[in-house]
Amino acid sequence: MFQSNPIEFSTVDPQRQPQALAAIRDLLGRNQLGLDGDIQLFVVALAGANIVGCAGLAWRTIKCVAVDEAWRGDNLSVRLLGEIQHIAMERGQAHLFLFTRPYNLDRFRQSGFWPLVQVDEAAVLMENTPVGISRYCAGLEKLRKPGNRIGSIVMNANPFTLGHRYLAEQAAARCDWLHLFVVREDASFFPFEERWEMVRQGVAHLPNVIVHPGSDYLISRATFPGYFLKESGLIDKTWSAMDLMIFRDYVAPALGVTHRFVGNEPFCAVTREYNQAMRYWLEVHRHHSAASIQVVELPRKCHAAGREISASEVRALLKSQQMARIREIVPDSTFSHLQRHYALDMA
C-alpha cells in the first residue's frame, strides 16, 4: 500500500478537461476497463498531481470505478463512491445504480449498494438502497387489475405511429388488461414528456389499457455500460438479460402480467436480437420463483404498398418536412403534435 502523499478528491468534466480525461483513460486501461462516452463527470483521487482513483457518474448510474494497484487495500474505492454519491445528492440524484463484475460485490456492499440482478459471471446491477425495487413494485401493485390474461408492452414510441397504435390495439383485444410502459430515458429524438403524451393520446380509445411512465428499472441500451465488457455482442446480451430478468422477477409479478407483446422487427438488428432474447428470459429460463411470461410477436402494420411502418421513417420525413407523407403513418394526435412543435421549427 502506497501512502507517500495524502489523498485529495477533485471533479473532472470530461468535455472540458482533456488532459485529466487522458489520465483517467490510462488508469482505466491499466484496470482492463474501457471508458463509456456518456459520463457527465468524474470524481478522481489525487496523490499529488497523479490520478490514482476514479469514479464516473452518468445521470443515475455510477460507472468506471478504478483504483491504481499501488493504492488498493486503502478503502479508496469506498471513499470515491462516498464522494460521488455526495455530488449526486447535491444534483438531486439520491437514487443511484452501479453496474460491476460479480467478484466486486463485497467491495461495493461496503459502500451501501445492494445487488438487484446478476447475469452469470458477466455483470451485476446494484442500487444504493435495499428497498428501491420493493417501493417501485408497491406502486405498481396499486394499478393491478383482475383477469386471466394480463398483457404488457414496453415501447419507446419515438414518435408514436400507426404501427404502435396497431400493436396496442391487437394486444388489448387479446387481454383483459394491457399495461403499456413508455421508456423514460431521454436518449431519443423526442423527449420523454412528448413521447408520453403522444402514447397517452394515441391509446385513449382503448378502455383496458393503462399507460405507465418508464422507470430506472427498465434498462435502456443507450445507458447500459460497456466499459467492463469488451465484446459488443456480450454487452447486448447482458443488457437484454438484465432488463428482462428485472421485468420477469419484479415488474410482472407486481401487475400479474402473463403475456408480453412485441412487434416483429425487420429493420434494427439489435431490437431483433432483443426480441429473441425475450423468449428465452421470459419463457424458458428458470430463475428464482418467477412465473414464465408468454411472449407474443405480432406482425407490424404496413403501408398500403406493403412496407412496414417505422418511427425512424417518421423522423427522416420530419427532417425534410414531408408532412403529407407523415400524416399517412401516424395517428391524428401525433400529427397534431408534430405540426405544432416541429413543422415551423424545421421549415
Side-chain angles (χ1 to χ4, degrees), residues 187-238:
S188 305
F189 181 90
F190 297 93
F192 168 73
E193 295 298 337
E194 294 186 22
R195 292 184 287 110
W196 162 265
E197 188 60 22
M198 283 188 277
V199 173
R200 192 189 64 80
Q201 292 183 12
V203 300
H205 63 295
L206 300 173
N208 63 332
V209 174
I210 300 173
V211 183
H212 299 261
S215 75
D216 295 318
Y217 297 107
L218 296 176
I219 303 172
S220 165
R221 177 63 180 86
T223 57
F224 184 80
Y227 65 92
F228 61 88
L229 300 173
K230 300 299 183 182
E231 302 174 16
S232 60
L234 181 58
I235 293 172
D236 290 336
K237 290 178 181 178
T238 305

Side-chain angles (χ1 to χ4, degrees), residues 78-92:
V78 174
R79 295 164 65 190
L80 279 164
L81 288 174
E83 292 287 331
I84 205 163
Q85 287 185 82
H86 178 72
I87 290 174
M89 184 75 72
E90 290 181 337
R91 295 158 65 101

Side-chain angles (χ1 to χ4, degrees), residues 30-287:
R30 297 198 306 273
N31 282 269
Q32 289 76 53
L33 299 174
L35 176 64
D36 277 4
D38 62 341
I39 293 178
Q40 297 163 296
L41 68 85
F42 277 97
V43 170
V44 295
L46 297 169
N50 298 317
I51 294 177
V52 297
C54 65
L57 182 65
W59 303 106
R60 294 183 181 276
T61 302
I62 297 174
K63 301 182 176 184
C64 296
V65 180
V67 173
D68 185 273
E69 185 176 2
W71 286 86
R72 293 174 192 168
D74 196 41
N75 286 327
L76 191 51
S77 60
V78 174
R79 295 164 65 190
L80 279 164
L81 288 174
E83 292 287 331
I84 205 163
Q85 287 185 82
H86 178 72
I87 290 174
M89 184 75 72
E90 290 181 337
R91 295 158 65 101
Q93 298 166 328
H95 186 198
L96 297 176
F97 295 88
L98 185 150
F99 294 87
T100 188
R101 294 187 179 102
Y103 62 69
N104 288 323
L105 267 171
D106 290 340
R107 178 156 62 107
F108 291 121
R109 284 181 196 268
Q110 296 177 33
S111 299
F113 283 81
W114 283 262
L116 182 62
V117 64
Q118 179 175 334
V119 180
D120 301 324
E121 295 305 311
V124 60
L125 170 62
M126 309 181 77
E127 60 178 338
N128 65 338
T129 170
V131 296
I133 189 66
S134 59
R135 279 198 304 251
Y136 175 62
C137 290
L140 291 179
E141 288 175 356
K142 296 177 181 178
L143 298 172
R144 184 174 180 137
K145 298 292 184 179
N148 295 320
R149 291 174 63 91
I150 305 297
S152 62
I153 296 174
V154 178
M155 65 172 58
N156 199 23
N158 186 38
F160 187 79
T161 69
L162 288 177
H164 292 111
R165 189 177 75 179
Y166 177 79
L167 175 62
E169 289 172 340
Q170 293 297 307
R174 291 165 166 79
C175 296
D176 299 305
W177 285 92
L178 177 68
H179 295 277
L180 196 163
F181 292 86
V182 183
V183 175
R184 180 178 285 277
E185 53 86 16
D186 276 332
S188 305
F189 181 90
F190 297 93
F192 168 73
E193 295 298 337
E194 294 186 22
R195 292 184 287 110
W196 162 265
E197 188 60 22
M198 283 188 277
V199 173
R200 192 189 64 80
Q201 292 183 12
V203 300
H205 63 295
L206 300 173
N208 63 332
V209 174
I210 300 173
V211 183
H212 299 261
S215 75
D216 295 318
Y217 297 107
L218 296 176
I219 303 172
S220 165
R221 177 63 180 86
T223 57
F224 184 80
Y227 65 92
F228 61 88
L229 300 173
K230 300 299 183 182
E231 302 174 16
S232 60
L234 181 58
I235 293 172
D236 290 336
K237 290 178 181 178
T238 305
W239 155 64
S240 299
M242 281 192 168
D243 182 56
L244 294 167
M245 288 170 72
I246 289 175
F247 187 86
R248 178 173 170 177
D249 289 350
Y250 299 105
V251 177
L255 292 170
V257 168
T258 60
H259 293 71
R260 181 152 164 179
F261 294 86
V262 63
N264 72 309
E265 181 49 66
F267 303 111
C268 177
V270 172
T271 304
R272 189 161 53 247
E273 291 175 5
Y274 179 85
N275 289 353
Q276 293 172 355
M278 194 180 300
R279 293 192 179 278
Y280 175 73
W281 290 105
L282 298 187
E283 290 187 342
V284 178
H285 186 68
R286 302 301 175 193
H287 56 96

